[in-house]
DNA sequence: TAGATTGTTAATCGATTAACAATC
DNA sequence: TAGATTGTTAATCGATTAACAATC
């Protein structure tokens, strides 16, 4: 697969394409042109063709793109179905919600279990996945060569747990702690979901709308 | 406050600035230059000064920026402390986790309660916030003029509830359903948190690293 | 075949970076 | 005052859009 140095903007659009294609497939659509896809997604046909061309040639002149084929290709690019292994660190409300909402098996990941400090939950399970003692985290990550750690601990201990995960050699951290984690050069990849950032962007637009209205009057 | 047409990129950086400034303030830092701030955040000093200059003049030559002042200004811009009202629709695991993790009062929002269909939870409360019957959603939103609806329902009913919220006149939807919601022209603002998009970006980078390693051998 | 639509090259637009006069 | 650092204008860089030959 071609994969020249692709810009971040392109990478962040790929999952959207995948979701849209899933949607089209579920509606029984067989083919789609960049023009139609663009109109449905609010992108220009040019941009769509440029984006895809970073990775190969998936279409056919005069026809467009085969939905199923394109879907598989983008799935490939994004690395779904590679069976990356994941654990969850911090089995609180949010962690539990994530386990229950994500069907990690269907999504093509191999979910190995959760870790926590609370003796009350250690030894129990969530949706059939075991909750281990965080004391065993280091040994577990090393032994199983865990790819992804989902970090859902309180902010106060986020960096501490990050350091432990770095030390144990995890490859990626999916960060829900609403803090900026520090990892050393060459350390794991970090992808963060900052809930509050998202809410503030929303509020920004509300505030702007209110200010504009006020200016008029 | 100046607020010329500001690019999306700038808007999405504002919450990061706010978080960083909170951090600096909590460490007792009094002043910061665009140069230092840039090094700490991985941005160029130029970009930082350009970003701020979209909204006004917050610094002082030869000194830099006063941390507390800048923090307040950016908070203003983002509309914190305007007391926007919010409700939660779908009091399942994720919804409950959000209520418990976000301190909506401290964050400057006025959180009014949650709505659900499940008779087992209707009438109970989460962290002291009431859970109402979703049947009363429309009347409640109209009467209280709710600003923000946090949507944490299963995907299957996401659009249906969105339609109801649009009808009731909500101003913004904070969408956790992992689907693309359709709202009419002039309808509410939608800001989505797509968990799976974020995870796929992570996986993309893992897959790329693996492919590169394979190419070498 | 004729029409549709791709992949790609060139043109445009916007965002980031650099430079510098103003000034604290 | 001299040094530091801003806010802003100009230059550069990259991303998006337009155009079009290739071809299914």
């Amino acid at each position: 697969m071609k994969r020249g140095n692709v810009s971040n903007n392109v990478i962040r659009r790929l999952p959207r394409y995948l979701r849209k294609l899933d949607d089209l497939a579920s509606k029984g659509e067989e083919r789609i042109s960049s023009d139609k896809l663009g109109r449905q997604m609010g992108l220009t046909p040019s941009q769509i063709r440029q984006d895809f061309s970073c990775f190969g040639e998936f279409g056919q002149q005069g026809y467009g793109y085969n939905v199923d084929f394109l879907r598989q290709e983008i799935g490939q690019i994004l690395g779904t179905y590679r069976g990356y292994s994941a654990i969850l660190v911090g089995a609180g409300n949010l962690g539990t919600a994530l386990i229950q909402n994500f069907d990690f098996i269907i999504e093509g990941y191999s979910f190995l279990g959760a870790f926590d400090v609370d003796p009350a939950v250690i030894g129990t399970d969530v949706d059939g996945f075991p909750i281990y003692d965080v004391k065993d985290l280091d040994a577990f990550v090393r032994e199983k060569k865990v790819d992804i750690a989902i970090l859902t601990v309180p902010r106060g201990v986020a960096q501490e747990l990050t350091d432990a995960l770095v030390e144990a050699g995890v490859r990626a951290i999916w960060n829900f702690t609403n803090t900026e984690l520090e990892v050393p050069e060459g350390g794991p990849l970090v992808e963060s979901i900052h809930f509050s950032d998202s809410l503030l962007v929303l509020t920004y637009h509300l505030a702007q709308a209110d200010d504009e209205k006020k200016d008029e009057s």
Side-chain angles (χ1 to χ4, degrees), chain A:
Chain A
M1 184 201 314
K2 196 167 81 177
R3 213 192 268 259
N5 58 327
V6 178
S7 85
N8 245 311
N9 289 0
V10 174
I11 296 168
R12 299 219 163 254
R13 276 194 294 272
L14 292 176
R16 280 188 63 204
Y17 289 126
L18 191 63
R19 262 190 293 124
K20 185 69 196 173
L21 290 164
D22 279 343
D23 194 45
L24 288 169
S26 78
K27 282 176 182 154
E29 300 286 336
E30 208 172 82
R31 55 177 280 243
I32 187 108
S33 64
S34 57
D35 196 67
K36 267 194 205 160
L37 193 58
R39 253 176 295 120
Q40 292 184 33
M41 295 185 68
L43 303 171
T44 63
S46 281
Q47 181 165 55
I48 289 172
R49 296 204 296 277
Q50 286 277 22
D51 283 357
F52 294 167
S53 77
C54 294
F55 305 100
E57 309 187 0
F58 306 132
Q60 208 169 324
Q61 283 99 327
Y63 172 83
Y65 301 89
N66 178 283
V67 171
D68 273 329
F69 175 74
L70 184 58
R71 187 164 147 250
Q72 275 171 37
E73 288 293 321
I74 294 181
Q76 260 318 309
I77 294 163
L78 287 169
T80 51
Y81 308 113
R82 295 210 183 197
Y84 287 122
S85 60
I87 57 167
L88 185 126
V89 182
N93 295 306
L94 181 59
T96 306
L98 278 177
I99 294 175
Q100 289 169 335
N101 281 275
F102 255 95
D103 196 328
F104 282 101
I105 289 152
I106 287 179
E107 297 276 340
Y109 301 87
S110 149
F111 186 67
L112 305 177
F115 289 83
D116 207 289
V117 279
D118 183 359
V121 298
I122 293 168
T124 67
D125 73 292
V126 184
D127 265 19
F129 296 111
I131 303 181
Y132 301 111
D133 191 325
V134 75
K135 284 204 183 92
D136 303 323
L137 180 62
D138 186 80
F140 190 96
V141 171
R142 286 176 201 273
E143 201 204 320
K144 307 277 188 182
K145 298 193 191 311
V146 173
D147 295 306
I148 303 168
I150 307 168
L151 196 63
T152 50
V153 298
R155 332 173 36 125
V157 295
Q159 188 58 49
E160 182 185 325
L161 267 302
T162 300
D163 295 345
L165 288 164
V166 169
E167 192 58 32
V170 83
R171 294 187 65 198
I173 297 176
W174 196 21
N175 171 34
F176 287 81
T177 64
N178 214 34
T179 59
E180 216 76 62
L181 302 178
E182 278 172 39
V183 295
E185 272 280 315
L189 222 68
V190 177
E191 167 74 21
S192 299
I193 295 221
H194 289 297
F195 290 109
S196 70
D197 288 17
S198 171
L199 182 58
L200 286 170
V201 170
L202 197 74
T203 316
Y204 171 88
H205 291 293
L206 285 179
Q208 186 182 39
D210 286 343
D211 288 353
E212 273 168 16
K213 202 181 278 170
K214 207 169 53 188
D215 284 352
E216 280 167 26
S217 62

